[in-house]
Amino acid sequence: TQLLEQSPQFLSIQEGENLTVYCNSSSVFSSLQWYRQEPGEGPVLLVTVVTGGEVKKLKRLTFQFGDARKDSSLHITAAQPGDTGLYLCAGAPSNDYKLSFGAGTTVTVRA
Amino acid sequence: ETGVTQTPRHLVMGMTNKKSLKCEQHLGHNAMYWYKQSAKKPLELMFVYNFKEQTENNSVPSRFSPECPNSSHLFLHLHTLQPEDSALYLCASRPSHTTEKLFFGSGTQLSVL
């Protein structure tokens, strides 16, 4: 059983469309991170959210941390081919330094 | 460029071979990690080093042997691997052993024949 469940597993959309990916758990996290991994590269951190209900924006990307700190979402507005990649969420349970990763959502944005 | 360099980028080896993966960071980080990434599965934490001392081994088979000679370098020695060990092996580092950001290398794509 995975600690963090990401959905959908795959997402393919046309340039200019919007998309949302989800990261869910039954556990409470002290913080949650989102990474993007491009083919042939390692994951790169996009954002860290720490407060329940927190919303952070990074250009066309909007990240939300659930009120109970058990889930998170990533919304991309007007997606571009450069947004293509594997999106990973990672959470640190309270009082534990270890990050648990989800299996990721593979996003493909077609030109 | 994350500041974490892994070599080689690709490796093909037979089950009887011995090879080593190398990871190098000059970010001044004190915590270094080996992760295994297989298709459709979450990243699996293999080993944790903090100030050059191994602090965690997540039930990794003994055919994987880590080495951390100093705080900037981390190795993963491989011997008598199995085909199911084929995966992307990622090295990561961070300033300390807390929930701070992980800096990943580009990984070594390993194929065991």
Side-chain angles (χ1 to χ4, degrees):
Chain A
T1 302
Q2 297 180 17
L3 189 60
L4 284 164
E5 297 283 345
Q6 289 192 245
S7 61
Q9 188 175 352
F10 298 97
L11 194 54
S12 180
I13 61 170
Q14 199 70 33
E15 181 177 5
E17 294 181 339
N18 302 332
L19 68 97
T20 302
V21 299
Y22 300 92
C23 176
N24 296 297
S25 176
S26 57
S27 300
V28 176
F29 294 97
S30 60
S31 67
L32 198 138
Q33 301 176 356
W34 283 94
Y35 291 80
R36 179 169 65 211
Q37 183 176 16
E38 298 182 9
E41 300 297 331
V44 176
L45 181 70
L46 296 173
V47 77
T48 301
V49 286
V50 297
T51 305
E54 182 177 4
V55 177
K56 279 192 174 180
K57 292 192 175 184
L58 185 66
K59 296 184 180 178
R60 293 176 294 100
L61 279 61
T62 301
F63 304 85
Q64 186 163 8
F65 201 12
D67 291 340
R69 291 185 291 136
K70 293 182 178 182
D71 54 84
S72 181
S73 64
L74 158 60
H75 182 78
I76 302 179
T77 304
Q80 299 177 1
D83 296 324
T84 292
L86 175 67
Y87 288 82
L88 299 164
C89 65
S94 301
N95 302 316
D96 190 344
Y97 66 86
K98 288 184 291 186
L99 281 175
S100 295
F101 281 83
T105 295
T106 300
V107 172
T108 302
V109 182
R110 305 184 305 274
Chain B
E1 181 59 51
T2 63
V4 181
T5 303
Q6 288 188 245
T7 55
R9 292 293 302 272
H10 302 273
L11 179 62
V12 179
M13 58 187 290
M15 289 189 285
T16 58
N17 291 158
K18 290 184 180 181
K19 296 288 185 183
S20 296
L21 310 185
K22 179 181 177 182
C23 176
E24 184 174 356
Q25 58 90 9
H26 295 288
L27 301 170
H29 292 172
N30 296 306
M32 296 187 77
Y33 308 81
W34 280 116
Y35 283 89
K36 177 183 178 182
Q37 186 175 34
S38 304
K40 302 180 184 179
K41 293 176 65 176
L43 267 69
E44 300 173 46
L45 179 63
M46 300 175 70
F47 300 103
V48 179
Y49 277 82
N50 193 35
F51 290 93
K52 301 186 297 179
E53 298 297 321
Q54 184 177 318
T55 58
E56 189 155 341
N57 174 341
N58 268 357
S59 303
V60 180
S62 60
R63 57 185 183 270
F64 295 90
S65 175
E67 180 189 2
C68 188
N70 55 62
S71 58
S72 298
H73 294 86
L74 186 64
F75 295 89
L76 188 61
H77 304 298
L78 317 172
H79 64 97
T80 60
L81 295 191
Q82 304 298 310
E84 60 264 30
D85 296 322
S86 298
L88 181 68
Y89 288 85
L90 290 163
C91 172
S93 70
R94 57 185 177 182
S96 65
H97 221 19
T98 65
T99 57
E100 294 169 34
K101 169 184 176 180
L102 279 170
F103 292 74
F104 284 91
S106 298
T108 295
Q109 185 66 53
L110 174 67
S111 296
V112 182
L113 304 179

